[in-house]
Amino acid sequence: MIFHTRDFDFTEKLDYFAAGASVLYGLYYTPIRIFRLEQRKPPVKATLLRLWTITCAALYIAHVSYLTLWRWDYTYNMAANVAVGIVQNILWSTFSVRRYQILKKPWAAWPGLIVAWIVLAMSLELLDFPPLRGLLDAHSLWHLGTVGPTIWWYNFLVKDAQQDIAGERLKA
């Protein structure tokens, strides 16, 4: 995998904005799934979903606006993404433990294990080191370290959806 071999100012900013959008979307989705905000009953869930959507959109717009219009700040950008990631990691880890206790199925523990993998991979991004032999740096290893959890996460989403379909929620 080759990353950032030919970055320009514009493409670098797009990369950071896309990464921020991805991290924030992960946080956006997390409470929707964990607290089932997509369900129509009780009616308060629809209101909470709208408020959560507006909040996340406003936070992303504020983040990009700060970086674009005020000051391009790598430290702030990293801190913002790490903070958002920590919140969703705590939510998914808690969900994972509780879901495993209820279902007693190994796949229910996957989100917590995926979080552990991502935390380890993220240490490469946070504890940066110079390229080894001028070729392999921490950032490229971070990208490589996210391939496995992405596939594993997709498999969890499939199992979670199958469990949901087999459950009482969709049988009405």
Side-chain angles (χ1 to χ4, degrees), residues 147-164:
V147 173
T150 302
I151 296 164
W152 196 3
W153 182 251
Y154 175 80
N155 290 324
F156 163 73
L157 292 176
V158 169
K159 293 276 192 191
D160 190 50
Q162 289 169 339
Q163 177 71 30
D164 198 32

Side-chain angles (χ1 to χ4, degrees), residues 98-114:
R98 290 185 177 157
R99 193 84 168 146
Y100 180 76
Q101 289 171 340
I102 292 167
L103 296 176
K104 305 285 191 241
K105 302 206 184 254
W107 65 264
W110 291 357
L113 298 171
I114 293 166

Side-chain angles (χ1 to χ4, degrees), residues 32-45:
I32 292 172
R33 168 56 191 96
I34 291 174
F35 304 117
R36 304 315 306 237
L37 296 181
E38 84 286 355
Q39 294 178 348
R40 299 186 188 277
K41 292 183 183 176
V44 71
K45 286 189 176 186

